[in-house]
Amino acid sequence: GESVGLHLPTLSVQEGDNSIINCAYSNSASDYFIWYKQESGKGPQFIIDIRSNMDKRQGQRVTVLLNKTVKHLSLQIAATQPGDSAVYFCAEMPGGYQKVTFGTGTKLQVIP
Amino acid sequence: NAGVTQTPKFRILKIGQSMTLQCAQDMNHNYMYWYRQDPGMGLKLIYYSVGAGITDKGEVPNGYNVSRSTTEDFPLRLELAAPSQTSVYFCASSPSGATYEQYFGPGTRLTVT
């Protein structure tokens, strides 16, 4: 079936560097994408979202890029901090906005 | 606001036992969801609800049941627990409207032995 997946299971980044977390999706009908952060022992927390009619959206220290041509989503974190260490999930929502499909997740490790 | 609350935090069940995982939200959100997360994996949707009295199956509904008698509460029922249901269960809610950001509870860690 259609699914959302991530290229890298673990990403190690030096504190202060920028991080890029990638996500591939296969459902071309997906209309809305979300990035979540999950710290150990906690539920996922919303970071940023983007609709399919956009190719870039910026938040505080985070930027999401959407390339619909190759069905690719990325999350860029500027000046990565130790508090950014977590598992990051991308999620997609097809039209209807009721069902969310989560990817497997990428663990981000920040090296002090 | 307390947000999304879940009880219990931890539970150990024997095979064949039943239990109800409780979920409540005080944000007046119409949409509520139940997910399970197996170790090292992403979240899989079990059931969801778009409002009181309305529920629908997600990706992995077998072995579970839900009800939504009020806007606030969305309990998940496990009947005849099996080891395959060992997982962390997350409840989430979201407002209807232009944004579909989901707010998650802290999770219930369930072990079936």
Side-chain angles (χ1 to χ4, degrees), chain B residues 12 14 21 26 33 35 37 40 47 51-52 63 75 85 87 89-90 101-102 109:
Chain B
I12 298 175
K14 294 189 186 304
L21 281 66
D26 61 358
Y33 309 82
Y35 295 91
Q37 185 177 33
Y47 271 95
Q85 293 179 303
S87 191
Y89 291 83
F90 289 101
E101 174 185 349
Q102 295 188 9
R109 185 176 294 276

Side-chain angles (χ1 to χ4, degrees), chain B residues 7-101:
Chain B
T7 56
K9 285 187 169 51
F10 303 94
R11 184 71 186 268
I12 298 175
L13 281 182
K14 294 189 186 304
I15 295 172
Q17 286 185 321
S18 301
M19 76 163 295
T20 299
L21 281 66
Q22 301 292 344
C23 174
Q25 53 92 8
D26 61 358
M27 297 173 283
N28 201 33
H29 287 171
N30 285 328
Y31 294 83
M32 295 189 74
Y33 309 82
W34 273 107
Y35 295 91
R36 59 176 287 172
Q37 185 177 33
D38 298 331
M41 302 294 287
L43 284 78
K44 292 188 182 297
L45 182 65
I46 305 172
Y47 271 95
Y48 68 100
S49 169
V50 301
I54 306 169
T55 63
D56 206 350
K57 296 177 180 178
E59 184 181 355
V60 289
N62 291 345
Y64 307 95
N65 277 301
V66 294
S67 59
R68 184 96 182 270
S69 56
T70 66
T71 299
E72 295 78 19
D73 300 297
F74 191 41
L76 177 72
R77 178 81 177 163
L78 278 71
E79 304 283 1
L80 299 174
S84 61
Q85 293 179 303
T86 294
S87 191
V88 180
Y89 291 83
F90 289 101
C91 179
S93 70
S94 67
S96 51
T99 176
Y100 297 94
E101 174 185 349

Side-chain angles (χ1 to χ4, degrees), chain A residues 23-99:
Chain A
C23 176
Y25 67 94
S26 58
N27 187 350
S28 56
S30 290
D31 196 39
Y32 182 67
F33 303 88
I34 310 169
W35 280 101
Y36 284 93
K37 172 185 180 183
Q38 186 177 26
E39 296 175 313
S40 181
K42 296 184 178 180
Q45 181 181 12
F46 174 92
I47 302 173
I48 192 168
D49 59 358
I50 189 167
R51 296 189 182 276
S52 61
N53 61 354
M54 303 171 68
D55 54 19
K56 181 179 180 179
R57 189 154 190 236
Q58 288 185 293
Q60 188 176 10
R61 280 201 309 119
V62 295
T63 300
V64 55
L65 299 178
L66 175 62
N67 185 330
K68 293 182 289 293
T69 302
V70 295
K71 299 191 188 73
H72 185 266
L73 195 66
S74 69
L75 177 70
Q76 300 178 0
I77 304 173
T80 310
Q81 302 169 359
D84 295 327
S85 293
V87 176
Y88 290 81
F89 294 95
C90 66
E92 61 171 332
M93 299 180 84
Y97 301 108
Q98 296 169 4
K99 292 186 179 181

